[in-house]
Amino acid sequence: MTTNTMSENSLLRQARGTTFFLSDDDYMNLHWPKLESAILLILRQSPGQFIPISYEEMYSTVYKCVCQQYADRMYSNLIELVATYLRRVSMELQETPKEAYLEKFHFVMEQFFQAVSGIVAIFSYMNRFYVTTKLQTDLKTELGKLFTTLVADNDSLFTVIEEVSSKPFGADPQVMMSIVKGLYSLKPEFSSRNPVLFARFIPNLLPPTQCEQLPSLIQEDRMLQEDLVTSQGFSRDDTGKKRRGDDFHGR
């Protein structure tokens, strides 16, 4: 048995041994505001940052609300809170200059993926005994759908991706890989918007290359080499694979 499971079982035993009654006023003025504050803190954390939040206190609050038949209301409040937050994120992205758009989107996507893990942990009791049982889904999936609909599924993002991916070294390969994999995990159908790009990072996405496709692939490779020479400063004769003018600085 893991430490988290033991801690969770201990919390449940303590809660079951306590008689409590939850009124509408208690829920709206005491319990939900506490959860709301924790959720907003989690959503606003930068990737890799973890603000200390009492897991035991939040989990206990969720448990009490579920036991007092507030699961439906709590789930609706949670979804609306996250949706409102993501609408603001979407507006900020719309106001982001094109040259900074991809980096901004990568940041908010990584930020949200991290936040989902924390939110699911806090609401795990509600997830098991309400979302999974009654709604026949799970919290992680529903939060992912919100991000997909409100943030990721927009023409601006895929226009920028198309423009950047068509230029050699147009974007940090690690950033592009993270974005493509993240989008694919949210909605595999996104790959149809740029199959060639997605196939670079998603194995077996495209069918095997046929013999009749080889001439066009060779031509694409030749065009890439020409672009490296004319636009990126590489030389065909430079066996050291340095750009012209790099020799002095490389010593």
Side-chain angles (χ1 to χ4, degrees), residues 154-171:
N154 71 85
D155 292 335
S156 297
L157 171 63
F158 287 92
T159 298
V160 172
I161 288 177
E162 178 73 28
E163 292 177 0
V164 169
S165 63
S166 65
K167 303 174 184 177
F169 312 108

Side-chain angles (χ1 to χ4, degrees), residues 75 79 82-83 86 112-113 116 131 135-153 185-187 190:
Y75 176 75
I79 293 299
V82 176
L86 290 178
F112 186 73
F113 283 175
V116 167
V131 183
L135 303 183
Q136 300 297 303
T137 182
D138 66 84
L139 190 55
K140 181 178 180 181
T141 297
E142 295 307 306
L143 293 175
K145 287 178 181 178
L146 283 180
F147 187 86
T148 300
T149 302
L150 298 174
V151 181
D153 198 355
S185 70
L186 289 168
K187 186 178 179 180
F190 279 147

Side-chain angles (χ1 to χ4, degrees), residues 96-115:
T96 302
K98 184 179 292 187
E99 60 273 14
Y101 192 97
L102 214 58
E103 289 285 348
K104 175 68 173 178
F105 177 81
H106 180 245
F107 177 87
V108 300
M109 184 179 70
E110 292 295 302
Q111 182 182 46
F112 186 73
F113 283 175
Q114 175 178 288

